């Protein structure tokens, strides 16, 4: 089925899911929404997030430790690049 009726530009994938193959989920999202950026979102360390993003083929990551303004600024920057 279709995941969305309107175009989706960004998926923030929270890594709090237990027992989920993040790489498989990222691939499934990218197959269904090829023009969509997939970013990981977690409270893990930036080094760990970068490693998981690289191995899962996500487009990047956003740490939960970011303040609200910095988080919004980074999301808007990601969306402007799309």
């Amino acid at each position: 089925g279709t995941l969305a009726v309107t175009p989706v530009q960004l998926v923030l994938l929270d890594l709090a899911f237990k027992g989920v193959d993040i790489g498989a989920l990222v691939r499934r999202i990218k197959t269904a929404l090829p023009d969509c950026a997939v970013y990981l979102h977690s409270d893990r360390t930036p080094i760990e997030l970068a490693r998981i993003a690289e191995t899962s083929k996500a487009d990047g990551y956003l740490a939960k430790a970011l303040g609200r303004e910095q988080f919004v600024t980074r999301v808007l920057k990601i969306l402007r690049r799309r």
Side-chain angles (χ1 to χ4, degrees):
T2 302
L3 292 178
V5 175
T6 58
V8 176
Q9 296 177 342
L10 174 63
V11 170
L12 287 176
L13 187 58
D14 194 320
L15 295 183
F17 294 116
K18 300 291 183 208
V20 173
D21 181 340
I22 298 300
L25 185 53
V26 169
R27 284 189 299 277
R28 187 170 176 195
I29 293 168
K30 288 181 162 285
T31 297
L33 303 166
D35 296 326
C36 179
V38 178
Y39 275 67
L40 306 180
H41 189 231
S42 177
D43 58 0
R44 298 180 192 196
T45 67
I47 292 172
E48 189 177 4
L49 273 172
R51 181 187 57 76
I52 296 168
E54 183 178 338
T55 58
S56 69
K57 305 294 188 226
D59 295 297
Y61 63 89
L62 294 170
K64 286 186 179 180
L66 293 174
R68 183 174 185 238
E69 284 186 35
Q70 193 174 19
F71 180 83
V72 170
T73 298
R74 289 194 182 178
V75 168
L76 291 174
K77 186 177 180 180
I78 293 165
L79 293 175
R80 278 194 291 271
R81 284 189 260 154
R82 307 289 320 146

